Amino acid sequence: MTHWFHRNPLKATAPVAFNYYGVAAGPAASKICSDLRSSRARLLELFTDLSCNPEMMKNAADSYFSLLQGFINSLDESTQESKLRYIQNFKWTDTLQGQVPSAQQDAVFELISMGFNVALWYTKYASRLAGKENITEDEAKEVHRSLKIAAGIFKHLKESQIPKLITPAEKGRDLEARLLEAYVVQCQAEAQEVTIARAIELKHAPGLIAALAYETANFYQKADHTLSSLEPAYSAKWRKYLHLKMCFYTAYAYCYHGQTLLASDKCGEAIRSLQEAEKFYAKAEALCKEYGETKGPGPTVKPSGHLFFRKLGNLVKNTLEKCQRENGFIYFQKIPTEAPQLELKANYGLVEPVPFEFPPTSAHWTPDTLAAFDLTKRPKDDSTKSKPEETVKPVKEPDIKPQKDTGCSIS
């Protein structure tokens, strides 16, 4: 089964040369600076390289992060920070607020911002893979795992790294708790979509599918609620996506719950459940149109034209007609005025983020290497600081054209 996922743009960053003339003395210190420069450039290149896979991304990210740790942590593993933590100014844009960058002279800010982009890459990789025609079981597992890895990175940033920042995250920016929580929950919900597709394919019990769909709808509702206090100008499109997916999976839940009721000879209640599914499907359809017309970060697509969307519409219609036929021939049950309460709890298939930790400090960092950096020799007109007029160019992301009749989006 193909999927369609909304994606916000990657964060962009100003180049960092890691040139500390006079400060970094000796070949070991120069080598560290050179490796930082090249490993950062390599990681940034991979974000838009369509041939990049999770193994390549992990290796490149670990290479850069392990070197950057020398700018953050002391080498004796004490709680003391590195003397180099505040030597370099880093500048990053925001996924929602366009190309207006934030800058902090703090290596922790760089670690978090680059980590955020790595998590975004995993979501975009999953989106590209999930939109393929005839996705294989192994590819579906890869989508599922990539989304769980992304959720784990966002969760780790929110809980373990953001509190270390000296300058708190600005309101409505990527590093604010509300946005990070929304990203975590969205990744969990999307991974559960893969679980639901697999459960349908393997013809699992309708009760399990209904429960998973209901839990997934709740995840989308939670993510949408998390963003409710943000400025609509830059959050409206994202929230339309979360709302339409909430309606979509609520329709799924009512549809499969109706099948469970029919199997229990509760045909009248089954019809009412299917009518509710029809109502939520119509809401999702209207929101699809609104999503396509809403300006803001994210792809310009028509979700209602995707296969994943159309298949549910047909399923709801056919199941409702079947229930109505059987009620007219066999059951003759009264149809309740109130929709059945969905108090469904899934015991299997619920997604948890994969725990994430940044790699330890690179072995290239030794006490002698660190001693070779002499901060007393920093020039007074410190050139490591970003110049006010320095602009940050947006990331040119590959334009993924949807394949025929699939749920692929521009990722």
Side-chain angles (χ1 to χ4, degrees), residues 7-50:
R7 291 292 174 258
N8 291 325
L10 285 163
K11 294 166 76 67
T13 181
V16 180
F18 293 103
N19 285 332
Y20 308 114
Y21 301 115
V23 174
S30 296
K31 176 79 166 65
I32 284 274
C33 292
S34 171
D35 289 350
L36 273 164
R37 184 166 56 250
S38 60
S39 61
R40 187 181 199 261
R42 171 66 179 148
L43 185 51
L44 291 172
E45 278 172 16
L46 284 182
F47 288 144
T48 54
D49 183 348
L50 291 181

Side-chain angles (χ1 to χ4, degrees), residues 243-294:
H243 193 188
L244 83 82
K245 281 288 184 87
M246 185 273 284
C247 290
F248 182 78
Y249 279 98
T250 303
Y252 245 120
Y254 274 115
C255 180
Y256 278 90
H257 185 54
Q259 292 183 25
T260 307
L261 290 168
L262 181 61
S264 307
D265 296 328
K266 296 177 179 175
C267 196
E269 289 178 45
I271 290 171
R272 187 63 189 86
S273 191
L274 266 300
Q275 286 173 342
E276 202 66 10
E278 213 171 34
K279 186 174 95 179
F280 274 96
Y281 182 79
K283 272 188 191 177
E285 200 165 30
L287 283 162
C288 281
K289 190 173 180 232
E290 288 174 29
Y291 173 87
E293 293 169 352
T294 303

